[in-house]
């Protein structure tokens, strides 16, 4: 079997001025043509179009439910119809945005079982007890090693982005996700990249890894994607909101300060329609940037 860094290397003609192309990894699947082009600036509140990134496969805005301009507005909207439960269950978990800024790539995993089977997602999972996961960052470190065989030695490399909170129309449970960003650099590029722009403007400097050691588990198959080809219509619908916004922010900052440091922190609230992952439909959301 070809390695993760070489399989289908000829499939991409996409390049950047300062770096070699990203190679698609194991488990590549065909992606249906997009319904339309979607600009990531749709949530950017006045950010210059020079910071735009085209996310070819994003869900159209009209399918993303009602966007609220404040948290009270969002909470009032979901309170009207949400199933109530005095003993509300809150599940705490982690999620990692793992990028290669130099190659404009993101590592995702295709779920093989459990919630979201068949969908692509970031790496992460439920937080364990304090004796296993001392902090959410330690939980993210553990999950990344278990699901993709990537060991990042320092939890300081897991940059906290914010929290995502998920509620459900037909379920009183709530999911709170601690969101982290880790930027990596391939060993083969490390010497090439001594003056790369991703070390400026507060962007993660890139933890050096060997891409050939990346491998999946019985739950996830890792795969690299260029940002413009992220299979958002094969992911949970909320990713078309917050993930595109976050990557847009990274792109803008690298382009010369289009975003300040505050833009890299965000919290999101998403309320899903009945039907769970099979329906994958947002009813209401609020993104606080």
């Amino acid at each position: 079997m070809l390695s993760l860094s070489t399989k289908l290397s000829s499939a991409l003609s996409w390049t950047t001025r300062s770096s070699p192309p990203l190679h698609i990894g194991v488990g590549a699947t065909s992606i249906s043509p997009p319904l339309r082009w979607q600009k990531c600036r749709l949530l950017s509140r006045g950010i210059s179009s020079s910071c735009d990134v085209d996310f070819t496969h994003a869900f159209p805005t009209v399918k993303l439910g009602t966007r609220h301009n404040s948290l009270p507005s969002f909470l009032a909207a979901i309170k009207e119809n949400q199933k109530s439960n005095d003993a509300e269950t809150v599940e705490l978990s982690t999620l990692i945005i793992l990028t290669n800024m130099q190659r404009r790539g993101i590592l995702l995993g295709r779920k093989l079982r459990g919630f979201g089977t068949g969908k692509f997602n970031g790496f992460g999972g439920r937080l364990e007890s304090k004796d296993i996961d001392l902090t959410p960052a330690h939980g993210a470190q553990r999950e990344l090693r278990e699901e993709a065989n990537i060991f990042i030695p320092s939890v300081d490399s897991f940059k906290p982005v914010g929290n995502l909170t998920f509620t459900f129309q037909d379920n009183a449970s709530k999911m709170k996700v601690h969101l982290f960003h880790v930027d990596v650099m391939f060993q083969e590029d490390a010497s090439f990249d001594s003056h790369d722009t991703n070390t400026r403007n507060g962007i993660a400097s890139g933890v050096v890894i060997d891409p050939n050691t990346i491998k999946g588990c019985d739950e996830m198959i890792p795969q690299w994607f260029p940002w413009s080809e992220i299979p958002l219509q094969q992911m949970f619908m909320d990713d078309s909101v917050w993930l595109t916004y976050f990557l847009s922010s990274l792109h803008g900052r690298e382009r010369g300060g289009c975003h300040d440091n505050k833009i890299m922190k965000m919290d999101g609230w998403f309320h899903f329609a009945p039907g769970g992952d099979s329906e994958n439909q947002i009813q209401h959301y609020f993104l606080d940037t």
Side-chain angles (χ1 to χ4, degrees), residues 183-227:
D183 189 57
V184 300
M185 183 187 304
F186 295 163
Q187 285 181 345
E188 62 196 84
D189 301 331
S191 59
F192 173 83
D193 194 81
S194 59
H195 300 291
D196 189 79
T197 55
N198 70 0
T199 62
R200 299 200 298 265
N201 300 323
I203 296 173
S205 59
V207 180
V208 178
I209 66 168
D210 178 0
N212 296 314
T213 63
I214 298 173
K215 64 180 180 180
C217 61
D218 61 353
E219 184 179 357
M220 303 276 276
I221 297 178
Q223 181 175 338
W224 286 103
F225 290 94
W227 290 1

Side-chain angles (χ1 to χ4, degrees), residues 14-69:
W14 158 78
T15 61
T16 67
R17 182 183 306 174
S18 61
S19 62
L22 182 78
H23 299 159
I24 294 178
V26 173
T29 57
S30 60
I31 300 173
S32 301
L35 294 177
R36 69 180 189 85
W37 287 88
Q38 174 166 307
K39 294 287 189 178
C40 63
R41 70 171 178 267
L42 67 94
L43 296 175
S44 302
R45 298 181 182 177
I47 292 173
S48 167
S49 61
S50 66
C51 297
D52 289 342
V53 179
D54 286 317
F55 294 100
T56 312
H57 305 288
F59 280 99
T61 310
V62 295
K63 291 193 173 185
L64 294 176
T66 301
R67 177 190 174 192
H68 294 266
N69 292 321

Side-chain angles (χ1 to χ4, degrees), residues 239-286:
D239 295 314
S240 285
V241 178
W242 67 264
L243 181 57
T244 57
Y245 182 86
F246 180 80
L247 294 178
S248 168
S249 299
L250 289 183
H251 176 75
R253 290 174 67 186
E254 192 195 40
R255 288 284 296 268
C258 182
H259 302 266
D260 60 23
N261 289 336
K262 293 181 180 179
I263 206 72
M264 303 310 295
K265 296 287 187 178
M266 64 180 183
D267 293 297
W269 289 261
F270 298 89
H271 185 70
F272 277 80
D277 61 336
S278 60
E279 291 297 324
N280 190 26
Q281 179 64 57
I282 296 173
Q283 284 189 329
H284 301 275
Y285 72 91
F286 169 58

Side-chain angles (χ1 to χ4, degrees), residues 109-115 124 143 147 216-221:
R110 181 167 60 86
K111 285 292 296 290
L112 300 178
R113 59 179 174 82
F115 186 75
E143 289 283 354
E147 294 182 341
C217 61
D218 61 353
E219 184 179 357
M220 303 276 276
I221 297 178

Side-chain angles (χ1 to χ4, degrees), residues 92-111:
L92 301 177
S93 60
T94 61
L95 184 63
I96 303 136
I97 311 165
L98 193 143
T99 60
N100 182 317
M101 285 286 293
Q102 185 190 45
R103 299 192 182 210
R104 293 299 181 280
I106 186 170
L107 187 66
L108 301 172
R110 181 167 60 86
K111 285 292 296 290

